[in-house]
Amino acid sequence: AVPDASAVYVVTVTNAGPSASSNTVLNNALPQAFSAEAITPSTGTCTGLGTNTVNCNLGTLAAGATATVRIQAHVPETCQ
């Protein structure tokens, strides 16, 4: 990642089945000094803008279904 710029993460959640997964959640911790600038789920809702923790409620995923969450994060000028 380039200091004082943005990095993009795409997290993929797949339900391998054999049945639907209800109340599917994603909890993703970014590196400590990073902060989420934008969070875009393919389904459901997410929280965590301005923090380094992204929490998403992706709802029900059918067997074999996939959901993605695109996270754009700010990389601080100084990383440790």
Side-chain angles (χ1 to χ4, degrees), residues 11-42:
V11 181
T12 302
V13 178
T14 302
N15 177 8
S19 58
S21 168
S22 59
N23 300 316
T24 306
V25 297
L26 166 70
N27 299 306
N28 188 67
L30 302 174
Q32 186 171 354
F34 288 30
S35 60
E37 298 176 314
I39 307 167
T40 309
S42 62

Side-chain angles (χ1 to χ4, degrees), residues 31-77:
Q32 186 171 354
F34 288 30
S35 60
E37 298 176 314
I39 307 167
T40 309
S42 62
T43 185
T45 59
C46 297
T47 61
L49 285 176
T51 73
N52 72 325
T53 303
V54 175
N55 298 302
C56 301
N57 180 347
L58 303 175
T60 299
L61 290 182
T66 298
T68 59
V69 178
R70 181 182 185 276
I71 303 166
Q72 178 179 320
H74 180 260
V75 180
E77 191 169 329

